[in-house]
Amino acid sequence: ILLVLQVRLVMKAHSFVRENVPRVLSSVKDKSGTVPIPRISQYLYFLFAPTLIYRDNYPRNPTIRWGYVATKFAQVLGSLFYAYYIFVRLCIPQFRNSSQETFNLRGLVLCIFNSILPGVLILFLVFFAFLHCWLNAFAEMLRFADRMFYK
């Protein structure tokens, strides 16, 4: 989790620098009186907004729909509980049985093939929980209007 957060922050810092350094360098080259440095509030908003492309201003919704936020967080919790259920009921028994037997290639292959479907279901649930529900909940709380996460 920490590694994923660090990668996200590095990607956001790269986008911030890539968007602002050319503007600052061009204003210094032109010797204009004002240097277009973004405000701290713009950078903080960008850190929490569900986007990797820095802009000074983003399209914003006029209000926050708190019922929508609660629904998305409930879906995240439901997805986590369902993934836990799948893991406990379908994955753990496979590996518990294999740990009591002596190692053989047939048992390993059967264990892997019996874990493929639950693993794919868990990956879909993680995709839905984080990339859809979690990002939409934070986008709604930040009144972020551009919801094209998948493009």
Side-chain angles (χ1 to χ4, degrees):
I1 292 173
L2 289 176
L3 184 63
V4 169
L5 289 175
Q6 287 176 343
V7 168
R8 182 183 68 88
L9 288 175
V10 166
M11 290 169 61
K12 284 188 175 250
H14 174 74
S15 176
F16 180 77
V17 168
R18 187 172 172 102
E19 287 291 323
N20 288 305
V21 167
R23 288 193 297 177
V24 171
L25 290 178
S26 67
S27 69
V28 169
K29 186 188 286 184
D30 296 341
K31 298 192 193 271
S32 62
T34 61
V35 179
I37 298 174
R39 296 186 316 266
I40 288 289
S41 62
Q42 291 172 325
Y43 182 67
L44 286 176
Y45 182 83
F46 170 63
L47 283 181
F48 292 101
T51 183
L52 292 175
I53 300 170
Y54 176 78
R55 299 287 181 253
D56 288 334
N57 296 312
Y58 294 98
R60 307 281 299 267
N61 289 331
T63 60
I64 299 173
R65 299 174 294 172
W66 290 107
Y68 182 80
V69 173
T71 301
K72 291 299 170 190
F73 280 132
Q75 288 175 352
V76 168
L77 286 174
S79 297
L80 291 176
F81 282 125
Y82 189 50
Y84 174 75
Y85 176 78
I86 290 172
F87 191 73
V88 168
R89 296 290 289 177
L90 299 175
C91 291
I92 290 178
Q94 293 296 323
F95 290 101
R96 184 175 294 140
N97 294 338
S98 66
S99 66
Q100 296 169 354
E101 299 173 4
T102 59
F103 178 77
N104 60 12
L105 186 59
R106 181 181 177 275
L108 177 67
V109 170
L110 283 175
C111 191
I112 289 172
F113 279 117
N114 287 333
S115 298
I116 287 175
L117 182 62
V120 170
L121 286 173
I122 289 172
L123 284 175
F124 282 143
L125 284 170
V126 167
F127 173 79
F128 175 73
F130 178 71
L131 292 178
H132 180 71
C133 298
W134 188 265
L135 291 179
N136 269 311
F138 272 95
E140 186 66 33
M141 286 190 296
L142 292 171
R143 296 186 301 129
F144 189 78
D146 185 14
R147 305 279 175 94
M148 303 304 284
F149 301 129
Y150 308 116
K151 287 190 177 183

PDB file of all heavy atoms in Angstrom, residues 8-43:
ATOM      1  N   ARG A   8       2.037   6.919  -6.714  1.00  0.00           N
ATOM      2  CA  ARG A   8       1.017   7.926  -7.056  1.00  0.00           C
ATOM      3  C   ARG A   8       1.530   9.336  -6.796  1.00  0.00           C
ATOM      4  O   ARG A   8       1.375  10.228  -7.635  1.00  0.00           O
ATOM      5  CB  ARG A   8      -0.257   7.678  -6.256  1.00  0.00           C
ATOM      6  CG  ARG A   8      -1.385   8.650  -6.583  1.00  0.00           C
ATOM      7  CD  ARG A   8      -2.602   8.398  -5.716  1.00  0.00           C
ATOM      8  NE  ARG A   8      -2.394   8.710  -4.332  1.00  0.00           N
ATOM      9  CZ  ARG A   8      -2.605   9.926  -3.798  1.00  0.00           C
ATOM     10  NH1 ARG A   8      -3.039  10.907  -4.543  1.00  0.00           N
ATOM     11  NH2 ARG A   8      -2.398  10.132  -2.517  1.00  0.00           N
ATOM     12  N   LEU A   9       2.178   9.540  -5.652  1.00  0.00           N
ATOM     13  CA  LEU A   9       2.698  10.871  -5.332  1.00  0.00           C
ATOM     14  C   LEU A   9       3.831  11.285  -6.265  1.00  0.00           C
ATOM     15  O   LEU A   9       3.928  12.458  -6.653  1.00  0.00           O
ATOM     16  CB  LEU A   9       3.157  10.923  -3.875  1.00  0.00           C
ATOM     17  CG  LEU A   9       2.030  10.924  -2.848  1.00  0.00           C
ATOM     18  CD1 LEU A   9       2.590  10.858  -1.437  1.00  0.00           C
ATOM     19  CD2 LEU A   9       1.153  12.150  -3.021  1.00  0.00           C
ATOM     20  N   VAL A  10       4.685  10.349  -6.645  1.00  0.00           N
ATOM     21  CA  VAL A  10       5.756  10.667  -7.602  1.00  0.00           C
ATOM     22  C   VAL A  10       5.162  11.028  -8.959  1.00  0.00           C
ATOM     23  O   VAL A  10       5.614  11.976  -9.613  1.00  0.00           O
ATOM     24  CB  VAL A  10       6.753   9.485  -7.708  1.00  0.00           C
ATOM     25  CG1 VAL A  10       7.662   9.641  -8.911  1.00  0.00           C
ATOM     26  CG2 VAL A  10       7.567   9.377  -6.438  1.00  0.00           C
ATOM     27  N   MET A  11       4.132  10.305  -9.395  1.00  0.00           N
ATOM     28  CA  MET A  11       3.490  10.620 -10.669  1.00  0.00           C
ATOM     29  C   MET A  11       2.823  11.985 -10.630  1.00  0.00           C
ATOM     30  O   MET A  11       2.889  12.756 -11.587  1.00  0.00           O
ATOM     31  CB  MET A  11       2.484   9.526 -11.030  1.00  0.00           C
ATOM     32  CG  MET A  11       3.144   8.218 -11.408  1.00  0.00           C
ATOM     33  SD  MET A  11       2.044   6.806 -11.531  1.00  0.00           S
ATOM     34  CE  MET A  11       0.923   7.281 -12.791  1.00  0.00           C
ATOM     35  N   LYS A  12       2.193  12.307  -9.506  1.00  0.00           N
ATOM     36  CA  LYS A  12       1.559  13.623  -9.376  1.00  0.00           C
ATOM     37  C   LYS A  12       2.605  14.733  -9.322  1.00  0.00           C
ATOM     38  O   LYS A  12       2.421  15.795  -9.920  1.00  0.00           O
ATOM     39  CB  LYS A  12       0.663  13.660  -8.151  1.00  0.00           C
ATOM     40  CG  LYS A  12      -0.648  12.926  -8.369  1.00  0.00           C
ATOM     41  CD  LYS A  12      -1.594  13.134  -7.225  1.00  0.00           C
ATOM     42  CE  LYS A  12      -2.924  12.497  -7.531  1.00  0.00           C
ATOM     43  NZ  LYS A  12      -3.972  13.451  -7.764  1.00  0.00           N
ATOM     44  N   ALA A  13       3.711  14.514  -8.620  1.00  0.00           N
ATOM     45  CA  ALA A  13       4.784  15.521  -8.567  1.00  0.00           C
ATOM     46  C   ALA A  13       5.381  15.737  -9.955  1.00  0.00           C
ATOM     47  O   ALA A  13       5.663  16.868 -10.356  1.00  0.00           O
ATOM     48  CB  ALA A  13       5.854  15.090  -7.572  1.00  0.00           C
ATOM     49  N   HIS A  14       5.556  14.664 -10.703  1.00  0.00           N
ATOM     50  CA  HIS A  14       6.081  14.785 -12.067  1.00  0.00           C
ATOM     51  C   HIS A  14       5.128  15.608 -12.940  1.00  0.00           C
ATOM     52  O   HIS A  14       5.575  16.477 -13.697  1.00  0.00           O
ATOM     53  CB  HIS A  14       6.288  13.398 -12.666  1.00  0.00           C
ATOM     54  CG  HIS A  14       6.680  13.417 -14.109  1.00  0.00           C
ATOM     55  ND1 HIS A  14       7.937  13.788 -14.521  1.00  0.00           N
ATOM     56  CD2 HIS A  14       5.971  13.143 -15.229  1.00  0.00           C
ATOM     57  CE1 HIS A  14       7.992  13.732 -15.842  1.00  0.00           C
ATOM     58  NE2 HIS A  14       6.807  13.338 -16.288  1.00  0.00           N
ATOM     59  N   SER A  15       3.856  15.355 -12.850  1.00  0.00           N
ATOM     60  CA  SER A  15       2.886  16.112 -13.626  1.00  0.00           C
ATOM     61  C   SER A  15       2.890  17.585 -13.227  1.00  0.00           C
ATOM     62  O   SER A  15       2.827  18.463 -14.086  1.00  0.00           O
ATOM     63  CB  SER A  15       1.491  15.525 -13.437  1.00  0.00           C
ATOM     64  OG  SER A  15       0.534  16.292 -14.108  1.00  0.00           O
ATOM     65  N   PHE A  16       2.977  17.848 -11.926  1.00  0.00           N
ATOM     66  CA  PHE A  16       3.003  19.231 -11.443  1.00  0.00           C
ATOM     67  C   PHE A  16       4.225  19.970 -11.988  1.00  0.00           C
ATOM     68  O   PHE A  16       4.119  21.090 -12.497  1.00  0.00           O
ATOM     69  CB  PHE A  16       3.013  19.229  -9.912  1.00  0.00           C
ATOM     70  CG  PHE A  16       3.048  20.591  -9.298  1.00  0.00           C
ATOM     71  CD1 PHE A  16       1.908  21.367  -9.257  1.00  0.00           C
ATOM     72  CD2 PHE A  16       4.214  21.093  -8.766  1.00  0.00           C
ATOM     73  CE1 PHE A  16       1.923  22.628  -8.691  1.00  0.00           C
ATOM     74  CE2 PHE A  16       4.248  22.351  -8.199  1.00  0.00           C
ATOM     75  CZ  PHE A  16       3.103  23.116  -8.160  1.00  0.00           C
ATOM     76  N   VAL A  17       5.387  19.338 -11.903  1.00  0.00           N
ATOM     77  CA  VAL A  17       6.618  19.976 -12.394  1.00  0.00           C
ATOM     78  C   VAL A  17       6.566  20.133 -13.900  1.00  0.00           C
ATOM     79  O   VAL A  17       6.921  21.194 -14.432  1.00  0.00           O
ATOM     80  CB  VAL A  17       7.852  19.145 -11.956  1.00  0.00           C
ATOM     81  CG1 VAL A  17       9.102  19.599 -12.667  1.00  0.00           C
ATOM     82  CG2 VAL A  17       8.032  19.236 -10.453  1.00  0.00           C
ATOM     83  N   ARG A  18       6.103  19.126 -14.599  1.00  0.00           N
ATOM     84  CA  ARG A  18       6.051  19.182 -16.065  1.00  0.00           C
ATOM     85  C   ARG A  18       5.120  20.283 -16.572  1.00  0.00           C
ATOM     86  O   ARG A  18       5.358  20.868 -17.622  1.00  0.00           O
ATOM     87  CB  ARG A  18       5.618  17.821 -16.596  1.00  0.00           C
ATOM     88  CG  ARG A  18       5.682  17.718 -18.085  1.00  0.00           C
ATOM     89  CD  ARG A  18       5.423  16.289 -18.519  1.00  0.00           C
ATOM     90  NE  ARG A  18       5.290  16.216 -19.934  1.00  0.00           N
ATOM     91  CZ  ARG A  18       6.231  15.797 -20.752  1.00  0.00           C
ATOM     92  NH1 ARG A  18       7.382  15.418 -20.279  1.00  0.00           N
ATOM     93  NH2 ARG A  18       6.012  15.756 -22.052  1.00  0.00           N
ATOM     94  N   GLU A  19       4.051  20.556 -15.872  1.00  0.00           N
ATOM     95  CA  GLU A  19       3.113  21.602 -16.294  1.00  0.00           C
ATOM     96  C   GLU A  19       3.589  23.008 -15.919  1.00  0.00           C
ATOM     97  O   GLU A  19       3.303  23.963 -16.623  1.00  0.00           O
ATOM     98  CB  GLU A  19       1.738  21.361 -15.677  1.00  0.00           C
ATOM     99  CG  GLU A  19       0.985  20.211 -16.277  1.00  0.00           C
ATOM    100  CD  GLU A  19       0.546  20.479 -17.700  1.00  0.00           C
ATOM    101  OE1 GLU A  19       0.169  21.622 -18.011  1.00  0.00           O
ATOM    102  OE2 GLU A  19       0.590  19.539 -18.504  1.00  0.00           O
ATOM    103  N   ASN A  20       4.314  23.150 -14.809  1.00  0.00           N
ATOM    104  CA  ASN A  20       4.628  24.485 -14.315  1.00  0.00           C
ATOM    105  C   ASN A  20       6.015  24.997 -14.686  1.00  0.00           C
ATOM    106  O   ASN A  20       6.197  26.212 -14.832  1.00  0.00           O
ATOM    107  CB  ASN A  20       4.461  24.528 -12.798  1.00  0.00           C
ATOM    108  CG  ASN A  20       3.008  24.494 -12.426  1.00  0.00           C
ATOM    109  OD1 ASN A  20       2.234  25.313 -12.879  1.00  0.00           O
ATOM    110  ND2 ASN A  20       2.621  23.521 -11.631  1.00  0.00           N
ATOM    111  N   VAL A  21       6.983  24.136 -14.843  1.00  0.00           N
ATOM    112  CA  VAL A  21       8.337  24.598 -15.162  1.00  0.00           C
ATOM    113  C   VAL A  21       8.390  25.322 -16.506  1.00  0.00           C
ATOM    114  O   VAL A  21       9.009  26.395 -16.584  1.00  0.00           O
ATOM    115  CB  VAL A  21       9.341  23.417 -15.095  1.00  0.00           C
ATOM    116  CG1 VAL A  21      10.665  23.780 -15.718  1.00  0.00           C
ATOM    117  CG2 VAL A  21       9.541  23.000 -13.653  1.00  0.00           C
ATOM    118  N   PRO A  22       7.772  24.832 -17.580  1.00  0.00           N
ATOM    119  CA  PRO A  22       7.827  25.604 -18.838  1.00  0.00           C
ATOM    120  C   PRO A  22       7.202  26.991 -18.723  1.00  0.00           C
ATOM    121  O   PRO A  22       7.714  27.955 -19.308  1.00  0.00           O
ATOM    122  CB  PRO A  22       7.047  24.742 -19.829  1.00  0.00           C
ATOM    123  CG  PRO A  22       7.116  23.371 -19.281  1.00  0.00           C
ATOM    124  CD  PRO A  22       7.146  23.527 -17.794  1.00  0.00           C
ATOM    125  N   ARG A  23       6.121  27.122 -17.967  1.00  0.00           N
ATOM    126  CA  ARG A  23       5.510  28.451 -17.786  1.00  0.00           C
ATOM    127  C   ARG A  23       6.440  29.393 -17.048  1.00  0.00           C
ATOM    128  O   ARG A  23       6.592  30.552 -17.415  1.00  0.00           O
ATOM    129  CB  ARG A  23       4.189  28.337 -17.020  1.00  0.00           C
ATOM    130  CG  ARG A  23       3.081  27.723 -17.814  1.00  0.00           C
ATOM    131  CD  ARG A  23       1.764  27.904 -17.155  1.00  0.00           C
ATOM    132  NE  ARG A  23       1.720  27.229 -15.854  1.00  0.00           N
ATOM    133  CZ  ARG A  23       0.708  27.265 -15.033  1.00  0.00           C
ATOM    134  NH1 ARG A  23      -0.375  27.944 -15.353  1.00  0.00           N
ATOM    135  NH2 ARG A  23       0.735  26.619 -13.890  1.00  0.00           N
ATOM    136  N   VAL A  24       7.072  28.892 -16.001  1.00  0.00           N
ATOM    137  CA  VAL A  24       7.978  29.733 -15.218  1.00  0.00           C
ATOM    138  C   VAL A  24       9.191  30.116 -16.054  1.00  0.00           C
ATOM    139  O   VAL A  24       9.618  31.273 -16.058  1.00  0.00           O
ATOM    140  CB  VAL A  24       8.396  29.006 -13.915  1.00  0.00           C
ATOM    141  CG1 VAL A  24       9.498  29.754 -13.206  1.00  0.00           C
ATOM    142  CG2 VAL A  24       7.190  28.829 -13.003  1.00  0.00           C
ATOM    143  N   LEU A  25       9.761  29.158 -16.786  1.00  0.00           N
ATOM    144  CA  LEU A  25      10.941  29.452 -17.605  1.00  0.00           C
ATOM    145  C   LEU A  25      10.622  30.430 -18.726  1.00  0.00           C
ATOM    146  O   LEU A  25      11.435  31.305 -19.035  1.00  0.00           O
ATOM    147  CB  LEU A  25      11.515  28.161 -18.179  1.00  0.00           C
ATOM    148  CG  LEU A  25      12.177  27.212 -17.174  1.00  0.00           C
ATOM    149  CD1 LEU A  25      12.666  25.956 -17.870  1.00  0.00           C
ATOM    150  CD2 LEU A  25      13.309  27.909 -16.439  1.00  0.00           C
ATOM    151  N   SER A  26       9.454  30.325 -19.346  1.00  0.00           N
ATOM    152  CA  SER A  26       9.090  31.257 -20.413  1.00  0.00           C
ATOM    153  C   SER A  26       8.850  32.655 -19.868  1.00  0.00           C
ATOM    154  O   SER A  26       9.202  33.643 -20.519  1.00  0.00           O
ATOM    155  CB  SER A  26       7.862  30.766 -21.174  1.00  0.00           C
ATOM    156  OG  SER A  26       6.720  30.800 -20.353  1.00  0.00           O
ATOM    157  N   SER A  27       8.293  32.774 -18.667  1.00  0.00           N
ATOM    158  CA  SER A  27       8.097  34.118 -18.104  1.00  0.00           C
ATOM    159  C   SER A  27       9.423  34.719 -17.652  1.00  0.00           C
ATOM    160  O   SER A  27       9.612  35.937 -17.729  1.00  0.00           O
ATOM    161  CB  SER A  27       7.112  34.079 -16.943  1.00  0.00           C
ATOM    162  OG  SER A  27       7.682  33.401 -15.847  1.00  0.00           O
ATOM    163  N   VAL A  28      10.365  33.903 -17.209  1.00  0.00           N
ATOM    164  CA  VAL A  28      11.691  34.413 -16.847  1.00  0.00           C
ATOM    165  C   VAL A  28      12.445  34.826 -18.097  1.00  0.00           C
ATOM    166  O   VAL A  28      13.128  35.860 -18.112  1.00  0.00           O
ATOM    167  CB  VAL A  28      12.478  33.344 -16.045  1.00  0.00           C
ATOM    168  CG1 VAL A  28      13.929  33.721 -15.887  1.00  0.00           C
ATOM    169  CG2 VAL A  28      11.836  33.125 -14.684  1.00  0.00           C
ATOM    170  N   LYS A  29      12.316  34.048 -19.178  1.00  0.00           N
ATOM    171  CA  LYS A  29      12.990  34.379 -20.431  1.00  0.00           C
ATOM    172  C   LYS A  29      12.450  35.683 -21.012  1.00  0.00           C
ATOM    173  O   LYS A  29      13.197  36.497 -21.551  1.00  0.00           O
ATOM    174  CB  LYS A  29      12.804  33.255 -21.439  1.00  0.00           C
ATOM    175  CG  LYS A  29      13.602  33.465 -22.723  1.00  0.00           C
ATOM    176  CD  LYS A  29      13.249  32.431 -23.775  1.00  0.00           C
ATOM    177  CE  LYS A  29      13.853  31.101 -23.397  1.00  0.00           C
ATOM    178  NZ  LYS A  29      13.616  30.068 -24.430  1.00  0.00           N
ATOM    179  N   ASP A  30      11.125  35.891 -20.901  1.00  0.00           N
ATOM    180  CA  ASP A  30      10.501  37.115 -21.411  1.00  0.00           C
ATOM    181  C   ASP A  30      10.727  38.301 -20.477  1.00  0.00           C
ATOM    182  O   ASP A  30      10.378  39.424 -20.829  1.00  0.00           O
ATOM    183  CB  ASP A  30       9.003  36.914 -21.605  1.00  0.00           C
ATOM    184  CG  ASP A  30       8.706  35.877 -22.673  1.00  0.00           C
ATOM    185  OD1 ASP A  30       9.609  35.587 -23.484  1.00  0.00           O
ATOM    186  OD2 ASP A  30       7.576  35.352 -22.677  1.00  0.00           O
ATOM    187  N   LYS A  31      11.277  38.047 -19.294  1.00  0.00           N
ATOM    188  CA  LYS A  31      11.522  39.078 -18.270  1.00  0.00           C
ATOM    189  C   LYS A  31      10.249  39.839 -17.919  1.00  0.00           C
ATOM    190  O   LYS A  31      10.246  41.042 -17.755  1.00  0.00           O
ATOM    191  CB  LYS A  31      12.616  40.031 -18.709  1.00  0.00           C
ATOM    192  CG  LYS A  31      13.941  39.342 -18.915  1.00  0.00           C
ATOM    193  CD  LYS A  31      15.047  40.324 -19.072  1.00  0.00           C
ATOM    194  CE  LYS A  31      16.261  39.666 -19.580  1.00  0.00           C
ATOM    195  NZ  LYS A  31      17.212  39.116 -18.957  1.00  0.00           N
ATOM    196  N   SER A  32       9.159  39.081 -17.821  1.00  0.00           N
ATOM    197  CA  SER A  32       7.903  39.699 -17.411  1.00  0.00           C
ATOM    198  C   SER A  32       7.927  39.907 -15.904  1.00  0.00           C
ATOM    199  O   SER A  32       8.662  39.255 -15.172  1.00  0.00           O
ATOM    200  CB  SER A  32       6.717  38.829 -17.829  1.00  0.00           C
ATOM    201  OG  SER A  32       6.784  37.584 -17.182  1.00  0.00           O
ATOM    202  N   GLY A  33       7.131  40.822 -15.426  1.00  0.00           N
ATOM    203  CA  GLY A  33       7.144  41.190 -14.012  1.00  0.00           C
ATOM    204  C   GLY A  33       6.597  40.107 -13.089  1.00  0.00           C
ATOM    205  O   GLY A  33       7.041  39.958 -11.957  1.00  0.00           O
ATOM    206  N   THR A  34       5.627  39.337 -13.546  1.00  0.00           N
ATOM    207  CA  THR A  34       5.020  38.321 -12.680  1.00  0.00           C
ATOM    208  C   THR A  34       5.410  36.922 -13.166  1.00  0.00           C
ATOM    209  O   THR A  34       5.410  36.631 -14.353  1.00  0.00           O
ATOM    210  CB  THR A  34       3.488  38.442 -12.695  1.00  0.00           C
ATOM    211  OG1 THR A  34       3.024  38.241 -14.023  1.00  0.00           O
ATOM    212  CG2 THR A  34       3.047  39.811 -12.189  1.00  0.00           C
ATOM    213  N   VAL A  35       5.721  36.084 -12.215  1.00  0.00           N
ATOM    214  CA  VAL A  35       6.036  34.686 -12.506  1.00  0.00           C
ATOM    215  C   VAL A  35       4.818  33.852 -12.111  1.00  0.00           C
ATOM    216  O   VAL A  35       4.375  33.927 -10.959  1.00  0.00           O
ATOM    217  CB  VAL A  35       7.288  34.228 -11.724  1.00  0.00           C
ATOM    218  CG1 VAL A  35       7.592  32.776 -12.007  1.00  0.00           C
ATOM    219  CG2 VAL A  35       8.472  35.102 -12.073  1.00  0.00           C
ATOM    220  N   PRO A  36       4.257  33.070 -13.034  1.00  0.00           N
ATOM    221  CA  PRO A  36       3.021  32.312 -12.741  1.00  0.00           C
ATOM    222  C   PRO A  36       3.292  31.080 -11.881  1.00  0.00           C
ATOM    223  O   PRO A  36       3.374  29.971 -12.375  1.00  0.00           O
ATOM    224  CB  PRO A  36       2.520  31.928 -14.126  1.00  0.00           C
ATOM    225  CG  PRO A  36       3.763  31.839 -14.956  1.00  0.00           C
ATOM    226  CD  PRO A  36       4.696  32.877 -14.415  1.00  0.00           C
ATOM    227  N   ILE A  37       3.408  31.288 -10.581  1.00  0.00           N
ATOM    228  CA  ILE A  37       3.619  30.188  -9.644  1.00  0.00           C
ATOM    229  C   ILE A  37       2.262  29.793  -9.074  1.00  0.00           C
ATOM    230  O   ILE A  37       1.512  30.637  -8.603  1.00  0.00           O
ATOM    231  CB  ILE A  37       4.579  30.602  -8.512  1.00  0.00           C
ATOM    232  CG1 ILE A  37       5.933  30.960  -9.101  1.00  0.00           C
ATOM    233  CG2 ILE A  37       4.718  29.495  -7.489  1.00  0.00           C
ATOM    234  CD1 ILE A  37       6.906  31.520  -8.104  1.00  0.00           C
ATOM    235  N   PRO A  38       1.924  28.501  -9.116  1.00  0.00           N
ATOM    236  CA  PRO A  38       0.621  28.069  -8.584  1.00  0.00           C
ATOM    237  C   PRO A  38       0.553  28.213  -7.064  1.00  0.00           C
ATOM    238  O   PRO A  38       1.566  28.159  -6.371  1.00  0.00           O
ATOM    239  CB  PRO A  38       0.515  26.610  -9.001  1.00  0.00           C
ATOM    240  CG  PRO A  38       1.859  26.192  -9.407  1.00  0.00           C
ATOM    241  CD  PRO A  38       2.665  27.403  -9.701  1.00  0.00           C
ATOM    242  N   ARG A  39      -0.660  28.400  -6.560  1.00  0.00           N
ATOM    243  CA  ARG A  39      -0.863  28.523  -5.115  1.00  0.00           C
ATOM    244  C   ARG A  39      -0.804  27.150  -4.453  1.00  0.00           C
ATOM    245  O   ARG A  39      -1.023  26.125  -5.087  1.00  0.00           O
ATOM    246  CB  ARG A  39      -2.221  29.169  -4.842  1.00  0.00           C
ATOM    247  CG  ARG A  39      -2.315  30.592  -5.361  1.00  0.00           C
ATOM    248  CD  ARG A  39      -3.612  31.271  -4.948  1.00  0.00           C
ATOM    249  NE  ARG A  39      -4.795  30.450  -5.095  1.00  0.00           N
ATOM    250  CZ  ARG A  39      -5.585  30.439  -6.164  1.00  0.00           C
ATOM    251  NH1 ARG A  39      -5.290  31.198  -7.188  1.00  0.00           N
ATOM    252  NH2 ARG A  39      -6.654  29.678  -6.200  1.00  0.00           N
ATOM    253  N   ILE A  40      -0.531  27.144  -3.165  1.00  0.00           N
ATOM    254  CA  ILE A  40      -0.483  25.901  -2.396  1.00  0.00           C
ATOM    255  C   ILE A  40      -1.851  25.211  -2.415  1.00  0.00           C
ATOM    256  O   ILE A  40      -1.932  23.984  -2.488  1.00  0.00           O
ATOM    257  CB  ILE A  40      -0.038  26.191  -0.943  1.00  0.00           C
ATOM    258  CG1 ILE A  40       1.443  26.541  -0.904  1.00  0.00           C
ATOM    259  CG2 ILE A  40      -0.323  25.035  -0.024  1.00  0.00           C
ATOM    260  CD1 ILE A  40       2.367  25.382  -1.174  1.00  0.00           C
ATOM    261  N   SER A  41      -2.925  25.990  -2.356  1.00  0.00           N
ATOM    262  CA  SER A  41      -4.267  25.381  -2.354  1.00  0.00           C
ATOM    263  C   SER A  41      -4.529  24.636  -3.662  1.00  0.00           C
ATOM    264  O   SER A  41      -5.184  23.581  -3.642  1.00  0.00           O
ATOM    265  CB  SER A  41      -5.328  26.449  -2.138  1.00  0.00           C
ATOM    266  OG  SER A  41      -5.306  27.389  -3.196  1.00  0.00           O
ATOM    267  N   GLN A  42      -4.013  25.120  -4.782  1.00  0.00           N
ATOM    268  CA  GLN A  42      -4.181  24.421  -6.052  1.00  0.00           C
ATOM    269  C   GLN A  42      -3.417  23.088  -6.034  1.00  0.00           C
ATOM    270  O   GLN A  42      -3.918  22.069  -6.511  1.00  0.00           O
ATOM    271  CB  GLN A  42      -3.674  25.277  -7.214  1.00  0.00           C
ATOM    272  CG  GLN A  42      -4.519  26.486  -7.486  1.00  0.00           C
ATOM    273  CD  GLN A  42      -3.871  27.406  -8.506  1.00  0.00           C
ATOM    274  OE1 GLN A  42      -2.658  27.544  -8.545  1.00  0.00           O
ATOM    275  NE2 GLN A  42      -4.706  28.037  -9.320  1.00  0.00           N
ATOM    276  N   TYR A  43      -2.209  23.100  -5.471  1.00  0.00           N
ATOM    277  CA  TYR A  43      -1.421  21.870  -5.404  1.00  0.00           C
ATOM    278  C   TYR A  43      -2.053  20.855  -4.450  1.00  0.00           C
ATOM    279  O   TYR A  43      -2.114  19.664  -4.754  1.00  0.00           O
ATOM    280  CB  TYR A  43       0.014  22.178  -4.983  1.00  0.00           C
ATOM    281  CG  TYR A  43       0.897  20.967  -4.933  1.00  0.00           C
ATOM    282  CD1 TYR A  43       1.233  20.285  -6.102  1.00  0.00           C
ATOM    283  CD2 TYR A  43       1.376  20.476  -3.733  1.00  0.00           C
ATOM    284  CE1 TYR A  43       2.033  19.156  -6.069  1.00  0.00           C
ATOM    285  CE2 TYR A  43       2.173  19.347  -3.695  1.00  0.00           C
ATOM    286  CZ  TYR A  43       2.504  18.694  -4.864  1.00  0.00           C
ATOM    287  OH  TYR A  43       3.290  17.575  -4.829  1.00  0.00           O
TER     288      TYR A  43
END
